[in-house]
Short mmCIF file of all heavy atoms in Angstrom, two decimals:
data_model
loop_
_atom_site.label_atom_id
_atom_site.label_comp_id
_atom_site.label_asym_id
_atom_site.label_seq_id
_atom_site.Cartn_x
_atom_site.Cartn_y
_atom_site.Cartn_z
N LEU U 240 -6.11 -26.39 -5.75
CA LEU U 240 -5.68 -25.08 -5.41
C LEU U 240 -4.64 -25.05 -4.31
O LEU U 240 -4.94 -25.76 -3.36
CB LEU U 240 -6.84 -24.20 -5.15
CG LEU U 240 -8.02 -24.04 -6.09
CD1 LEU U 240 -9.19 -23.26 -5.56
CD2 LEU U 240 -7.63 -23.69 -7.41
N HIS U 241 -3.47 -24.49 -4.49
CA HIS U 241 -2.34 -24.75 -3.61
C HIS U 241 -1.42 -23.42 -3.67
O HIS U 241 -1.73 -22.52 -4.34
CB HIS U 241 -1.60 -25.99 -3.96
CG HIS U 241 -0.99 -25.87 -5.33
ND1 HIS U 241 0.16 -25.46 -5.65
CD2 HIS U 241 -1.62 -26.33 -6.54
CE1 HIS U 241 0.44 -25.50 -6.97
NE2 HIS U 241 -0.66 -26.11 -7.54
N ASP U 242 -0.36 -23.54 -2.79
CA ASP U 242 0.51 -22.36 -2.56
C ASP U 242 1.78 -22.58 -3.32
O ASP U 242 2.73 -21.72 -3.22
CB ASP U 242 0.76 -22.09 -1.09
CG ASP U 242 1.54 -23.24 -0.41
OD1 ASP U 242 1.61 -24.33 -0.96
OD2 ASP U 242 1.97 -23.17 0.75
N GLY U 243 1.88 -23.68 -4.13
CA GLY U 243 3.16 -23.81 -4.90
C GLY U 243 4.21 -24.44 -4.14
O GLY U 243 5.34 -24.58 -4.58
N ARG U 244 3.97 -25.00 -3.00
CA ARG U 244 5.06 -25.59 -2.11
C ARG U 244 4.50 -27.00 -1.56
O ARG U 244 3.39 -27.15 -1.36
CB ARG U 244 5.35 -24.68 -0.92
CG ARG U 244 5.94 -23.35 -1.32
CD ARG U 244 6.40 -22.51 -0.14
NE ARG U 244 6.97 -21.28 -0.53
CZ ARG U 244 8.12 -21.06 -1.12
NH1 ARG U 244 9.02 -21.97 -1.16
NH2 ARG U 244 8.53 -19.78 -1.41
N VAL U 245 5.48 -27.87 -1.43
CA VAL U 245 5.14 -29.09 -0.86
C VAL U 245 5.02 -29.03 0.66
O VAL U 245 5.46 -27.98 1.20
CB VAL U 245 6.29 -30.25 -1.26
CG1 VAL U 245 6.44 -30.42 -2.69
CG2 VAL U 245 7.67 -29.83 -0.63
N GLN U 246 4.48 -30.09 1.29
CA GLN U 246 4.13 -29.83 2.73
C GLN U 246 5.43 -29.64 3.58
O GLN U 246 5.40 -28.81 4.53
CB GLN U 246 3.37 -31.15 3.27
CG GLN U 246 3.03 -30.90 4.68
CD GLN U 246 2.11 -31.92 5.22
OE1 GLN U 246 1.96 -33.02 4.64
NE2 GLN U 246 1.35 -31.59 6.37
N ALA U 247 6.50 -30.29 3.22
CA ALA U 247 7.74 -30.19 4.07
C ALA U 247 8.38 -28.90 3.91
O ALA U 247 9.27 -28.47 4.73
CB ALA U 247 8.78 -31.30 3.71
N ASP U 248 8.03 -28.05 2.90
CA ASP U 248 8.65 -26.80 2.75
C ASP U 248 7.99 -25.75 3.59
O ASP U 248 6.87 -25.53 3.49
CB ASP U 248 8.43 -26.38 1.16
CG ASP U 248 9.05 -25.09 0.80
OD1 ASP U 248 9.53 -24.33 1.71
OD2 ASP U 248 9.21 -24.85 -0.53
N ARG U 249 8.80 -25.20 4.56
CA ARG U 249 8.26 -24.24 5.52
C ARG U 249 8.76 -22.84 5.25
O ARG U 249 8.82 -21.91 6.07
CB ARG U 249 8.76 -24.66 6.96
CG ARG U 249 8.56 -26.08 7.33
CD ARG U 249 7.08 -26.38 7.37
NE ARG U 249 6.47 -25.88 8.57
CZ ARG U 249 5.40 -26.29 9.16
NH1 ARG U 249 4.76 -27.38 8.68
NH2 ARG U 249 4.89 -25.74 10.20
N GLU U 250 9.02 -22.51 3.84
CA GLU U 250 9.52 -21.19 3.48
C GLU U 250 8.47 -20.17 3.85
O GLU U 250 8.91 -18.97 4.24
CB GLU U 250 9.77 -21.21 2.07
CG GLU U 250 10.24 -19.84 1.42
CD GLU U 250 11.64 -19.49 1.97
OE1 GLU U 250 12.48 -20.30 2.40
OE2 GLU U 250 12.00 -18.28 1.97
N ALA U 251 7.25 -20.51 3.79
CA ALA U 251 6.19 -19.53 3.96
C ALA U 251 5.56 -19.47 5.40
O ALA U 251 4.50 -19.14 5.73
CB ALA U 251 5.06 -19.67 2.98
N THR U 252 6.42 -19.85 6.42
CA THR U 252 6.05 -19.82 7.84
C THR U 252 5.69 -18.37 8.20
O THR U 252 6.52 -17.40 7.96
CB THR U 252 7.17 -20.31 8.71
OG1 THR U 252 7.36 -21.77 8.44
CG2 THR U 252 6.86 -20.16 10.26
N SER U 253 4.55 -18.15 8.69
CA SER U 253 4.04 -16.80 8.91
C SER U 253 3.29 -16.44 10.13
O SER U 253 3.06 -15.32 10.38
CB SER U 253 3.04 -16.44 7.77
OG SER U 253 2.00 -17.28 7.84
N CYS U 254 3.11 -17.47 10.98
CA CYS U 254 2.31 -17.33 12.18
C CYS U 254 3.06 -17.85 13.54
O CYS U 254 3.64 -18.97 13.55
CB CYS U 254 1.02 -17.98 12.03
SG CYS U 254 -0.04 -18.10 13.42
#
Side-chain angles (χ1 to χ4, degrees):
L240 308 177
H241 57 91
D242 65 350
R244 298 187 182 279
V245 298
Q246 183 169 20
D248 186 346
R249 310 293 289 204
E250 179 68 23
T252 297
S253 58
C254 175

